[in-house]
Amino acid sequence: MQTLMSPGPLLDDRGHLVETGWAPSEIRKYRRSAITAPKFRIKEWDYYCVLTADYGIALTVADNGYMGLLGVSWLDFRTPHEITENVMLPFPMGRLGLPESADDGDVVVSKGKARFEFRHVDGGRHLIVDYPAFDGGRGLHADLFLASPADDRMVIATPFPKASRSFYYNQKINCLPAAGTVRIGSDDFTFRSEDSFGVLDWGRGVWTYDNTWYWGSASGLVNGERFGFNIGYGFGDTTAASENIVFVGGRAHKLDRIDFGIPQGTYDGAPWNFSSNDGRFEMTFEPIIDRAATFDVGVLRSIQHQVFGKFSGTVILDDGTSVVVRDLLGFAEEVRNRW
């Protein structure tokens, strides 16, 4: 069963979810002031990932209560290699002022000489990042425009069992045509809207301490039409709805349950396999880069494997149409957090 949410506030006066389920638009309104859990338990982030066939960039601004983060990952699929660098922000506790909507409000955060701007402009989103210390002082400057068509998206409100004040309100916006440049040192990398696509992961919530999640995403062109998907599971109570969904030409096709078949003993040494309980999503995934990271400081620990690669397989749409996918660039990840 996939419960479709109705309009209204996200939380009631006790800080509990009013309704759980999914929607193709931002139908429930998040208000940080409605949360009744301690500030250090609140997690808020905006994550953008923009990919071309040859290279890509991922940008993060996160306020995780007792720790904030400004992050950049540069991905070169030709070599292949990746460079990830983060600026840590101690105890932001909401001071970053991340917007309460994915469709309104700007993110502007500076730390030292690093500056991140995610701004809403006519027709889309303008991402500007200056990171002079990136890659041993070579420096990175990104200036990207992501067009934002009036597409369906994946919006989901997920509760956590036995933690009534914990919840995750998440939006995944796929298939955003991207144009602009990224400069690293003296090298310029061009993004063109006809073959460059981004995804926004917009997350707000109160998380429990120990979690493992699985997430996969891809955006591109299939049969000349914008095509993408969001898949994942692993935390919270997803009885009301899964976050599995396919987008074709801006329209959503909701999926039920999907299992991540990660090869034993490796993340990037063998193909992954994805299979749905109803046969509507069957994919293999050929890894290119494992963006692996481990953070372990006392009670805080994060073990991440975000693997970039190519998806191939078949998707069945709501009307029964079969779509064959070949070498669609995206990523799949396993993240284990104690936070």
Side-chain angles (χ1 to χ4, degrees), residues 53-125:
D54 292 332
Y55 45 77
I57 190 169
L59 305 170
T60 305
V61 175
D63 182 336
N64 292 326
Y66 41 73
M67 180 186 69
L69 179 144
L70 306 177
V72 177
S73 291
W74 177 251
L75 307 150
D76 187 328
F77 302 121
R78 300 164 298 183
T79 314
H81 76 283
E82 64 91 14
I83 303 170
T84 297
E85 297 192 15
N86 299 314
V87 176
M88 309 306 289
L89 308 170
F91 302 101
M93 298 289 198
R95 289 192 298 273
L96 300 189
L98 297 188
E100 296 183 326
S101 168
D103 298 319
D104 186 41
D106 297 332
V107 176
V108 181
V109 181
S110 298
K111 175 65 174 180
K113 294 183 178 180
R115 183 175 175 86
F116 286 58
E117 300 180 30
F118 303 159
R119 296 187 180 274
H120 289 275
V121 296
D122 288 345
R125 303 160 191 272

Side-chain angles (χ1 to χ4, degrees), residues 23-226:
S25 63
E26 187 184 293
I27 198 166
R28 287 280 168 179
K29 301 303 180 185
Y30 169 82
R31 295 289 180 265
R32 184 183 172 98
S33 61
I35 295 174
T36 56
K39 288 184 178 180
F40 67 86
R41 300 292 335 148
I42 301 174
K43 318 293 184 187
E44 300 181 327
W45 63 73
D46 286 22
Y47 169 87
Y48 287 92
C49 183
V50 185
L51 304 179
T52 73
D54 292 332
Y55 45 77
I57 190 169
L59 305 170
T60 305
V61 175
D63 182 336
N64 292 326
Y66 41 73
M67 180 186 69
L69 179 144
L70 306 177
V72 177
S73 291
W74 177 251
L75 307 150
D76 187 328
F77 302 121
R78 300 164 298 183
T79 314
H81 76 283
E82 64 91 14
I83 303 170
T84 297
E85 297 192 15
N86 299 314
V87 176
M88 309 306 289
L89 308 170
F91 302 101
M93 298 289 198
R95 289 192 298 273
L96 300 189
L98 297 188
E100 296 183 326
S101 168
D103 298 319
D104 186 41
D106 297 332
V107 176
V108 181
V109 181
S110 298
K111 175 65 174 180
K113 294 183 178 180
R115 183 175 175 86
F116 286 58
E117 300 180 30
F118 303 159
R119 296 187 180 274
H120 289 275
V121 296
D122 288 345
R125 303 160 191 272
H126 192 188
L127 313 182
I128 304 172
V129 172
D130 282 301
Y131 199 150
F134 189 80
D135 193 18
R138 292 182 67 206
L140 178 146
H141 175 77
D143 190 329
L144 298 169
F145 172 76
L146 274 59
S148 296
D151 290 351
D152 291 342
R153 64 184 68 171
M154 195 291 298
V155 182
I156 189 167
T158 303
F160 288 82
K162 301 179 182 179
S164 60
R165 294 187 297 174
S166 295
F167 67 92
Y168 183 43
Y169 189 48
N170 183 217
Q171 301 187 49
K172 302 284 185 19
I173 307 177
N174 286 68
C175 304
L176 302 173
T181 59
V182 173
R183 171 171 287 183
I184 302 176
S186 59
D187 299 323
D188 287 332
F189 301 89
T190 300
F191 292 75
R192 303 176 304 167
S193 58
E194 58 264 34
D195 58 10
S196 305
F197 296 93
V199 61
L200 167 61
D201 172 17
W202 186 93
R204 305 290 188 268
V206 175
W207 284 70
T208 53
Y209 171 63
D210 194 342
N211 295 277
T212 298
W213 73 63
Y214 299 88
W215 177 35
S217 179
S219 296
L221 296 176
V222 174
N223 301 324
E225 193 168 25
R226 285 186 303 123

Side-chain angles (χ1 to χ4, degrees), residues 260-277:
F260 282 42
I262 303 174
Q264 188 172 3
T266 182
Y267 288 92
D268 60 351
W272 298 29
N273 291 286
F274 299 84
S275 184
S276 61
N277 61 343

